[in-house]
Amino acid sequence: MKKNKIIVGSRASELALTQTRWVIQCLKEKFPHIDFEIVEIKTIGDKILDKTLDKIGGKGLFVKEIETALLQGEIDMAVHSMKDVPTEMTEDLMIGAITEREDIRDVLISKNGLKIAELPLGARIGTSSLRRAAQLLNFRPDLQIEPIRGNIATRMKKIEQLDLDGVILAAAGILRMGWHDRITEYLSTDICIPAVGQGALGIQVRSGDQETIELVRSINDPEVAFCVNAERSFMRELKGGCHVPIGAYAWMEGDNLRMKTVVSAPDGKEQIKLEEASHPKDGEILGVDMAVKSLKEGAQEILTRIEVGE
C-alpha cells in the first residue's frame, strides 16, 4: 500500500462513530502502517428530527452529504449502516466491502420488562420505521404506534418522556453500543422481518480509487455480501424505500442462500410474505424473482395504494 493516511467519513452519532472505529480497528490489524482520521459529517437525516423519514425523503438522507464529500475527494472512504444506503448510487461510487454481520433482528425495549405478546391492550409502542409498525400491527392490531426519531439513546429515553410501553429498535445498534442488558425481547423474524441490510456495515469508496478498494476488500465478508446484495436486489426491483413497509432477510443455510421477504400495507392488515432459496451467487436473481412474485401476489396493489396516499 502506498497510502499512509486514509480519511474516513462518518455520521456524527455515537453509534456511527462506534461502527467507524470498529472498521478502522479491523483495517489497522491488516495495515498497521496506515493512519486513519475520522471526519464527522452531519447529514440532513440527523438534523431534521421532528418528521418521520418517509416525510423528508427517505434513508438516502443519512448518506447524501457523506457521498458528496467522497465524490469531492474530501474523504477516502465512508462507513455506513447498509440499511441506510439507497439501492441506486452514482457509478462514481461503490460499496467496496460489506463486513461481518451483527444480529439482524429487531428488539423490544419495554418499560416493565414485558414481552410483545404480554403488553397490555392498546399499549403504546415507539418506532421510527413504517416496516416495524406495519408488522407489529399485523401481529397485534391493538397496539398504538407512536412515531419517534433520534439516535438510539434518544429513542430509548422516549419511553419515559412520552410514557410509552416500549420502543422497537435494531438489535445491531444496541449490541454494538454494549447495551445488551437493555433488551427485553428479540423479535422473531416470523413477527418482524428486518430491513434490507440490517446489521451489516458497508464501506463506500470511489470507483476509480483502486488502492482504497484493495484496502477495504481485505475485510469484506463474501457470505454476508451475497446475502445483503440479494436483499438489496429485492428492494431495488420493488423501487421501495422508507415510505414503503418492505423487509428482506437472507442467510446461508448449508450451501444455499435462503431469503424471507415481506411487503405490507401500512396498517398491517395485508402482507405478502415469501420464503425461497437459491445458490449464493444467484442471490441477486433470487431477489428480483421474489420481488416479481410478490407484485403478482398482491404487493402491486399495496404499493399503488401507498403511492396515491390512501
Side-chain angles (χ1 to χ4, degrees):
M1 280 285 155
K2 293 175 194 164
K3 286 187 181 179
N4 54 23
K5 185 174 183 180
I6 298 283
I7 299 173
V8 188
S10 170
R11 286 171 63 192
S13 76
E14 195 179 350
L15 174 59
L17 290 169
T18 297
Q19 294 176 164
T20 298
R21 290 186 196 108
W22 179 82
V23 166
I24 288 172
Q25 185 185 332
C26 293
L27 289 169
K28 278 293 265 186
E29 286 170 10
K30 294 179 181 295
F31 304 98
H33 65 285
I34 296 180
D35 289 326
F36 293 87
E37 178 189 332
I38 297 174
V39 172
E40 297 179 22
I41 299 170
K42 200 137 189 181
T43 68
I44 294 174
D46 294 311
K47 291 173 188 170
I48 303 174
L49 297 175
D50 59 343
K51 294 183 176 72
T52 55
L53 291 179
D54 57 303
K55 299 287 192 295
I56 56 172
K59 286 184 178 174
L61 295 171
F62 287 124
V63 302
K64 200 172 178 186
E65 286 82 358
I66 298 173
E67 287 186 333
T68 299
L70 199 48
L71 287 167
Q72 292 176 349
E74 294 164 15
I75 58 175
D76 298 303
M77 57 182 255
V79 178
H80 300 296
S81 293
M82 279 306 296
K83 70 186 178 71
D84 292 336
V85 180
T87 53
E88 304 287 351
M89 72 176 71
T90 168
E91 61 183 24
D92 295 327
L93 298 177
M94 63 179 280
I95 297 297
I98 296 177
T99 67
E100 65 183 64
R101 202 169 197 177
E102 186 47 275
D103 195 307
I104 54 84
R105 291 172 291 180
D106 290 307
V107 294
L108 169 68
I109 297 173
S110 71
K111 183 164 59 180
N112 299 315
L114 297 175
K115 295 185 175 179
I116 197 80
E118 301 165 343
L119 292 170
L121 199 67
R124 296 172 66 235
I125 297 294
T127 175
S128 55
S129 158
L130 289 179
R131 172 191 60 80
R132 290 177 185 137
Q135 293 186 88
L136 286 174
L137 289 170
N138 178 268
F139 180 66
R140 280 204 45 181
D142 63 293
L143 294 176
Q144 301 297 310
I145 304 295
E146 303 291 340
I148 54 169
R149 287 281 317 282
N151 63 43
I152 54 177
T154 300
R155 281 183 272 164
M156 286 194 287
K157 284 177 191 164
K158 300 278 186 188
I159 296 174
E160 298 303 326
Q161 292 170 353
L162 302 177
D163 193 26
L164 302 174
D165 291 279
V167 295
I168 305 287
L169 299 165
I174 304 291
L175 296 175
R176 287 195 181 111
M177 294 301 293
W179 296 339
H180 311 63
D181 57 338
R182 317 266 184 109
I183 295 170
T184 307
E185 180 184 11
Y186 291 83
L187 298 184
S188 155
T189 57
D190 292 337
I191 294 173
C192 205
I193 294 175
V196 166
Q198 188 157 304
L201 300 179
I203 306 172
Q204 193 177 36
V205 294
R206 287 183 293 279
S207 306
D209 185 355
Q210 206 54 45
E211 204 173 335
T212 306
I213 291 169
E214 284 174 31
L215 176 92
V216 302
R217 195 180 284 148
S218 68
I219 61 169
N220 183 61
D221 186 314
E223 285 193 1
V224 175
F226 281 137
C227 292
V228 171
N229 288 329
E231 295 164 13
R232 284 168 65 78
S233 73
F234 174 76
M235 186 159 83
R236 187 185 297 116
E237 187 67 19
L238 289 177
K239 300 178 173 58
C242 268
H243 61 293
V244 180
I246 289 173
Y249 165 47
W251 69 99
M252 296 300 295
E253 194 173 87
D255 294 332
N256 286 328
L257 181 149
R258 184 165 284 278
M259 185 154 70
K260 282 183 176 185
T261 61
V262 64
V263 180
S264 179
D267 61 7
K269 286 177 182 169
E270 278 177 272
Q271 286 194 338
I272 311 301
K273 279 185 167 184
L274 297 177
E275 182 171 337
E276 294 185 7
S278 75
H279 187 279
K281 289 186 176 172
D282 296 329
E284 292 192 44
I285 297 167
L286 177 68
V288 171
D289 288 348
M290 290 178 77
V292 170
K293 196 168 178 183
S294 297
L295 290 169
K296 284 179 183 166
E297 292 190 9
Q300 185 62 68
E301 287 77 8
I302 291 172
L303 297 175
T304 302
R305 286 204 306 272
I306 291 171
E307 231 170 78
V308 298
E310 274 186 24

